[in-house]
Structures are given as structure tokens and as C-alpha cells.
């Protein structure tokens, strides 16, 4: 079944409630990076051009179901107002009488931003209060989901709310664009198709790794999760991060790649340190020789970065998710940034799945050289693994 999109609905004089992802980084109450707000502008402007009134809702951070003034959406309302060059009214809460009155009074062309959804426990735990989703839906006639980054969660604002908008719910432009690109990785991807998977843990990426094996031309594994694979090959990893419970899983993945004749590339050399900081003693070692007991792996080495760059060069389709080193420490960003530079020069389709990988690309100002930078790391992985997401399933169903 075709998923309804924003263009499938007549919005004129309607009151649209749109779930967006304004979970932006803040420092001292100021927005550090507004790219998630910018990403929602196309859908927001479309609704306003169609002479509808618009209610926006989002979460910010993890306030754990309690009011936290440091996680108020007030700075977002101010920034959005600047970007749109029109007032953005700020609700005192996302539910309650005062908020409902503001929703009710909203006129065509006006925007209201609801306060942080996660100030209420029922946002992430709908079973705690089923009336929460109904309260969010009140005074709205159409529901739009443009928050791809939260689409893998069955939350009140992304899943439960849809039941109150039969045949009046759809995807926004950003969500639609995510699916157009990520579907290329699921449905008969064009070869050569390479996947680069990094990040700290293998446990969160087992499903996507197993799903990718029959589809890829080669698999590249870096970051913290690579040490679990190296340990599975009986290579000493010193004090490196490891998930001992998943060593057998790493062996299974390597065996499956071998069985299907899919090359699986692990780091050939590793940047190691005797302290998890920028101040430790650093050694670059040959991966096959192993890491000494008092050192830990922090990044892929220069030989690996050069070798992977050569191997990736002919890629028709490349998916990258997760940093290849301890990206939060300046001294160990080199490997991640080297691969970002490599992919920025490739002629094929390059898709990057969220988080630190995207942060590296923005830091290097290379975003225009990639086909697609996903706004959802976890959601993109789950979509590749399952071919759908809860927020998509509920829209199809209703």
C-alpha cells in the first residue's frame, strides 16, 4: 500500500498538527546547530502556503517525564520565527486548557509550537495515560509526521495519535525523502554496494549487519564494535571496548560473509592510547599483532583509511553509519574524517545514517557532496533491517 504524503491531502483552512524533530543541541540555552529545524522548513512552509493553521510538536532531550526549564522549546520557537520571518506562538505545555485554547484560536497561516512532549511520561510510555495522545490530537483536523528520527518508536505523538485522524494522516517532505533514499538500500540495491558500519556496539547493529550481508558487495567494520570482531578472531585487544556476550555473534557474521563470498574488512592498523583522553600516549599498531594490555583502540589507522578509500572508490551505492573512532575526542577523529573526505568525492549515491558520521561531514562542510544525510541514525538502521517502521505501519493501517 502507498504511504500517504502531505501532497495527498487538501490542507486549505484545515488545522494541521505536525510532529517534527526539533531535538537540537543546546548550550546555555542557545542552539548550537539548527539543521534539524532547517530540515523541517519545507513541510512547514508548504502547510502555510496552503492557507492552513499549523500546530508543531517535538521533544527535546530526555527530561524523563518532568518539567525541566533547560529543555524548554522556547529557543526553538524564537529561531523558527527568525527563519520564517513571522511570529511562532509558544504554548505553555503540550496539553491542558491554556494550550487547547491557543490551538482552538489559531487562524490560517499562524503557527503554534507546543512545549516539550517529553515533559509528560505518557509521550514515551503511552500505556501510562492513553488520554495523552487524544489530548494532543484535539482541535486539529490533519496529522503530519515529519519526524523520521523518532519513527522507530511507538510513542504517543508518532504512533498512538494517528488513530484520531482516519484518512487524514500523512508523511511530511523530510520523512518522504528519507524513505526515497533508504529504500534504495532495501530493494535490490545497485552494485557495487558497500556498507561501512562503525559506532561503539555490535549489539545495536546485529539485525542490520545480518540484513546487509546478502545485499552488499563488501562490508567495512570500524569503531568500537570492531574490537569485538578482532577478539572473535583471537587477536589481543588490550583494554579496548568489547561486548563479550556478542563474540559468538561476530563469529557468525564473519562465517556468513565467508559463506556468501562477501569481503568483510576490519581495521588493518589501529590508533591506540594508554588513556581514554586527548592526553594519553599514542601508538599506531598493526591490528594482526594485537593491542598491548595497557592500551586501547581509539581509531582506525592511516593504512586502513587509505586502503578502504581505494576499495570504496568504485561504489555505485554506499551506506555509512557510525564513527570509526572515538569521535568525541579531537585526537581520534582522523579516521572518521578521512572516510568522510573519501565518500565526498565518490560519483555514486552516498547515504549517511545519523549521529557522529553526519557531525563529521558538517564539521568538514562537505554536506553538499553527499546524496543524503539521514536525520535518524536508529530509525535508518531499523528501516534497513525491517523494511518499515512503526510510524509508517500505523499510517498505512489508518
Amino acid at each position: 500500500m502507498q504511504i500517504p504524503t502531505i501532497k495527498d491531502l487538501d490542507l486549505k483552512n484545515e488545522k494541521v498538527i505536525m510532529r517534527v524533530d526539533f531535538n537540537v543541541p543546546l548550550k546555555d540555552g542557545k542552539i548550537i546547530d539548527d539543521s534539524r529545524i532547517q530540515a523541517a522548513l519545507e513541510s512547514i512552509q508548504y502547510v502555510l502556503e496552503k492557507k492552513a493553521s499549523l500546530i508543531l510538536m517535538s521533544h527535546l532531550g530526555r527530561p524523563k517525564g518532568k518539567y525541566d526549564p533547560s529543555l524548554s522549546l522556547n529557543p526553538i520557537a524564537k529561531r523558527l520565527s527568525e527563519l520564517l520571518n513571522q511570529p511562532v506562538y509558544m504554548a505553555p505545555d503540550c496539553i491542558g486548557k491554556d494550550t487547547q485554547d491557543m490551538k482552538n484560536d489559531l487562524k490560517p497561516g499562524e503557527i503554534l509550537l507546543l512545549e516539550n512532549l517529553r515533559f509528560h511520561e505518557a509521550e514515551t510510555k503511552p500505556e501510562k495515560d492513553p488520554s495523552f495522545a487524544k489530548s494532543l490530537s484535539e482541535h486539529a483536523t490533519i496529522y503530519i509526521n515529519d519526524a523520521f528520527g523518532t519513527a522507530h518508536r511507538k510513542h504517543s505523538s508518532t504512533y498512538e495519535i494517528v488513530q484520531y485522524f482516519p484518512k487524514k494522516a500523512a508523511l511530511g517532505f523530510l520523512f518522504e525523502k528519507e524513505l526515497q533514499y533508504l529504500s534504495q538500500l532495501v530493494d535490490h540495491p545497485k552494485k557495487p554496494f558497500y556498507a561501512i558500519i562503525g559506532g561503539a556496539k555490535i549489539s545495536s547493529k546485529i539485525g542490520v549487519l545480518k540484513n546487509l550481508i546478502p545485499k552488499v558487495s563488501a562490508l567495512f567494520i570500524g569503531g568500537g564494535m570492531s574490537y569485538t570482531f578482532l577478539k572473535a578472531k583471537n587477536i589481543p585487544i588490550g583494554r579496548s571496548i568489547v561486548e563479550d556476550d556478542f563474540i559468538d555473534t561476530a563469529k557468525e557474521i564473519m562465517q556468513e560473509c565467508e559463506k556468501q563470498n562477501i569481503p568483510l574488512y576490519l581495521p588493518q592498523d589501529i590508533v591506540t592510547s594508554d588513556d581514554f583522553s586527548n592526553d594519553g600516549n599514542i601508538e599506531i599498531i598493526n591490528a594482526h599483532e594485537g593491542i598491548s594490555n595497557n592500551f586501547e583502540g581509539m581509531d582506525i589507522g592511516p593504512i586502513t583509511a587509505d586502503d578502504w578509500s581505494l576499495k570504496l572508490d568504485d561504489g555505485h551505492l554506499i551506506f555509512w553509519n557510525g564513527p570509526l573512532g572515538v569521535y568525541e575526542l579531537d585526537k581520534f577523529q582522523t579516521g572518521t574524517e578521512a572516510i568522510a573526505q573519501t565518500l565526498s568525492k565518490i560519483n555514486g549515491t552516498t547515504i549517511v545514517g545519523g549521529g557522529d558520521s553526519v557531525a563529521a561531514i558538517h564539521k568538514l562542510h562537505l554536506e553538499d557532496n553527499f546524496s543524503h544525510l539521514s536525520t535518524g541514525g536508529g530509525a535508518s538502521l531499523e528501516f534497513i533491517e525491517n523494511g518499515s517502521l512503526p510510524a509508517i505501519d500505523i499510517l498505512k493501517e489508518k
Side-chain angles (χ1 to χ4, degrees), residues 168-239:
K168 290 280 188 176
L171 299 178
F173 290 119
L174 175 63
F175 204 133
E176 186 183 7
K177 184 187 175 192
E178 292 275 8
L179 296 189
Q180 284 169 353
Y181 276 98
L182 293 170
S183 293
Q184 295 179 46
L185 309 173
V186 176
D187 306 322
H188 312 293
K190 291 180 180 175
K191 303 289 181 76
F193 167 32
Y194 299 130
I196 309 159
I197 308 294
K201 294 180 176 179
I202 182 176
S203 53
S204 59
K205 298 182 180 177
I206 294 164
V208 77
L209 285 168
K210 288 183 174 176
N211 190 281
L212 284 169
I213 291 167
K215 297 172 183 173
V216 294
S217 307
L219 199 54
F220 298 77
I221 292 178
M225 63 188 294
S226 65
Y227 306 114
T228 301
F229 280 87
L230 291 171
K231 189 168 181 181
K233 294 180 75 167
N234 295 318
I235 293 171
I237 60 164
R239 292 192 287 108

Side-chain angles (χ1 to χ4, degrees), residues 362-388:
H362 281 300
K363 184 190 168 192
L364 297 166
H365 306 293
L366 296 172
E367 51 269 30
D368 293 341
N369 298 355
F370 285 77
S371 308
H372 181 60
L373 303 180
S374 179
T375 54
S380 63
L381 289 177
E382 189 161 320
F383 182 78
I384 295 164
E385 183 181 341
N386 299 321
S388 190

Side-chain angles (χ1 to χ4, degrees), residues 54 65 82 131 143 145 175 228 255 297:
L54 180 59
E82 291 167 359
S131 70
Y143 170 78
N145 191 340
F175 204 133
T228 301
Q255 285 162 3

Side-chain angles (χ1 to χ4, degrees), residues 187-346:
D187 306 322
H188 312 293
K190 291 180 180 175
K191 303 289 181 76
F193 167 32
Y194 299 130
I196 309 159
I197 308 294
K201 294 180 176 179
I202 182 176
S203 53
S204 59
K205 298 182 180 177
I206 294 164
V208 77
L209 285 168
K210 288 183 174 176
N211 190 281
L212 284 169
I213 291 167
K215 297 172 183 173
V216 294
S217 307
L219 199 54
F220 298 77
I221 292 178
M225 63 188 294
S226 65
Y227 306 114
T228 301
F229 280 87
L230 291 171
K231 189 168 181 181
K233 294 180 75 167
N234 295 318
I235 293 171
I237 60 164
R239 292 192 287 108
S240 304
I241 184 173
V242 66
E243 289 180 285
D244 286 317
D245 291 347
F246 291 90
I247 286 173
D248 286 342
T249 306
K251 286 177 182 174
E252 285 168 21
I253 289 166
M254 289 188 287
Q255 285 162 3
E256 191 58 32
C257 284
E258 199 172 327
K259 185 177 160 188
Q260 297 200 32
N261 204 24
I262 302 297
L264 186 152
Y265 299 112
L266 293 168
Q268 292 168 259
D269 61 336
I270 300 167
V271 180
T272 68
S273 175
D274 63 357
D275 189 48
F276 195 86
S277 72
N278 285 311
D279 304 320
N281 295 305
I282 292 171
E283 289 180 5
I284 299 175
I285 60 105
N286 183 317
H288 294 292
E289 292 171 5
I291 302 169
S292 58
N293 288 338
N294 58 334
F295 277 71
E296 58 190 307
M298 303 293 277
D299 197 4
I300 59 169
I303 293 169
T304 302
D306 289 347
D307 180 60
W308 286 12
S309 295
L310 285 170
K311 289 183 165 81
L312 291 162
D313 189 55
D314 68 339
H316 189 100
L317 177 63
I318 297 175
F319 174 66
W320 177 24
N321 178 280
L324 303 173
V326 184
Y327 193 77
E328 62 266 32
L329 297 175
D330 293 347
K331 278 194 177 175
F332 307 106
Q333 297 178 352
T334 310
T336 300
E337 291 181 356
I339 295 304
Q341 293 279 9
T342 292
L343 297 187
S344 73
K345 300 182 185 83
I346 282 170

Side-chain angles (χ1 to χ4, degrees), residues 75-90:
I76 284 101
K78 185 168 177 270
R79 180 61 184 140
L80 184 60
S81 176
E82 291 167 359
L83 290 167
L84 294 170
N85 199 27
Q86 75 169 79
V88 174
Y89 303 112
M90 185 69 209

Side-chain angles (χ1 to χ4, degrees), residues 139-158:
H139 301 297
T141 54
I142 283 174
Y143 170 78
I144 304 292
N145 191 340
D146 212 22
F148 177 77
T150 63
H152 56 316
R153 309 286 189 212
K154 288 186 177 180
H155 289 172
S156 289
S157 66
T158 60

